[in-house]
Amino acid sequence: PTFHEEHLAYMVSTLHDIHASKDTEARLTVLRLITTRLSDAKHLSDVLAVLPDSARVLHAPRASLTLVRDGELHLVGTFGFPETTLDAFRVLPEDADVPVREVLRTGEPLVLPYEAFAARYPHLASLQHSPSQTLAFIPLRADGRTLGVLTLGFLEHHDITEAERTFLLTLASSLASTL
């Protein structure tokens, strides 16, 4: 502080936004809990039980898990997606024109704001009654193969940060290893 005639003239201060640090701490805590739960998983239902926590830590109210089985895409678990939109996605041919297929083909995460999703997949956008404003599709990779895709839905536009991407890839790796 600087004083002029015994009165505070000005003060220079630095503020630090600790929200990012707190979010990272929360993600690490949840990741440890999820990893512990997955290490005890015996059934697919045990794996699906971590979907809500996985989504909530990123403030995503929606999550789903799609697996490749016998040449088809099987939606095996969901959290928060409206039931009315799920029937069209329960079982699809592996070559269906859906984002999950693109992620399975490339092995890379795909993040789509609603506008991009609707432009690329207009046949799917028309099925959405209350669409997610951002969808994140994360490959589940183990032993060099992609077993399925974890999908997160955000009700508002959401840019995935590098820290969130790292969390999602680590989570997806844990899910895939358990499966």
Side-chain angles (χ1 to χ4, degrees), residues 7 9 16 29 33 60 72 78 80 87 90 100 104 106 117 124-125 127 134-135 139 141 146 170 174-175:
H7 296 294
H16 296 278
T29 299
L33 292 170
E72 295 177 317
T78 67
D87 289 338
R90 298 251 181 237
V100 167
L104 290 169
T106 66
F117 173 79
L124 300 178
L127 301 173
T134 300
L135 289 163
R141 296 186 52 75
T146 305
T170 304
S174 294
L175 289 168

Side-chain angles (χ1 to χ4, degrees), residues 17-27:
D17 184 358
I18 62 170
H19 286 94
S21 295
K22 291 292 185 185
D23 285 347
T24 299
E25 284 179 35
R27 283 192 294 274

Side-chain angles (χ1 to χ4, degrees), residues 44 47-48 51 63-69 72-78 81 94 98-111 135-142 145-152 168 171-173 175-176 179:
L44 178 59
V47 174
L48 297 176
L51 281 181
S64 69
L65 193 64
T66 303
L67 299 176
V68 178
R69 292 182 175 165
E72 295 177 317
L73 306 175
H74 289 259
L75 181 64
V76 295
T78 67
F81 282 102
E94 196 170 7
V98 294
V100 167
R101 177 176 163 250
E102 184 176 339
V103 172
L104 290 169
R105 185 180 53 75
T106 66
E108 294 295 322
L110 176 64
V111 178
L135 289 163
F137 302 90
I138 312 301
L140 303 175
R141 296 186 52 75
R145 7 178 249 136
T146 305
L147 308 173
V149 175
L150 169 66
T151 302
L152 293 179
L168 285 169
L171 171 65
S173 176
L175 289 168
L179 292 169

Side-chain angles (χ1 to χ4, degrees), residues 1-177:
T2 301
F3 293 92
H4 178 69
E5 298 178 11
E6 295 186 24
H7 296 294
L8 180 64
Y10 66 88
M11 177 186 277
V12 176
S13 177
T14 303
L15 298 175
H16 296 278
D17 184 358
I18 62 170
H19 286 94
S21 295
K22 291 292 185 185
D23 285 347
T24 299
E25 284 179 35
R27 283 192 294 274
L28 288 173
T29 299
V30 169
L31 189 58
R32 279 193 292 273
L33 292 170
I34 288 171
T35 302
T36 300
R37 288 169 59 194
L38 290 175
S39 69
D40 295 333
K42 305 263 187 286
H43 306 283
L44 178 59
S45 61
D46 299 327
V47 174
L48 297 176
V50 305
L51 281 181
D53 291 333
S54 304
R56 282 188 198 116
V57 74
L58 293 173
H59 311 290
R62 298 172 172 174
S64 69
L65 193 64
T66 303
L67 299 176
V68 178
R69 292 182 175 165
D70 302 321
E72 295 177 317
L73 306 175
H74 289 259
L75 181 64
V76 295
T78 67
F79 166 75
F81 282 102
E83 283 296 318
T84 55
T85 63
L86 297 176
D87 289 338
F89 300 97
R90 298 251 181 237
V91 179
L92 296 170
E94 196 170 7
D95 63 350
D97 186 20
V98 294
V100 167
R101 177 176 163 250
E102 184 176 339
V103 172
L104 290 169
R105 185 180 53 75
T106 66
E108 294 295 322
L110 176 64
V111 178
L112 291 173
Y114 180 75
E115 298 78 19
F117 173 79
R120 280 167 104 166
Y121 304 99
H123 59 289
L124 300 178
S126 65
L127 301 173
Q128 307 278 326
H129 299 291
S130 59
S132 297
Q133 293 305 301
T134 300
L135 289 163
F137 302 90
I138 312 301
L140 303 175
R141 296 186 52 75
D143 299 325
R145 7 178 249 136
T146 305
L147 308 173
V149 175
L150 169 66
T151 302
L152 293 179
F154 298 87
L155 295 182
E156 297 177 1
H157 178 75
H158 185 83
D159 292 319
I160 303 291
T161 66
E162 193 57 39
E164 290 171 333
R165 179 183 164 87
T166 300
F167 170 81
L168 285 169
L169 291 173
T170 304
L171 171 65
S173 176
S174 294
L175 289 168
S177 295

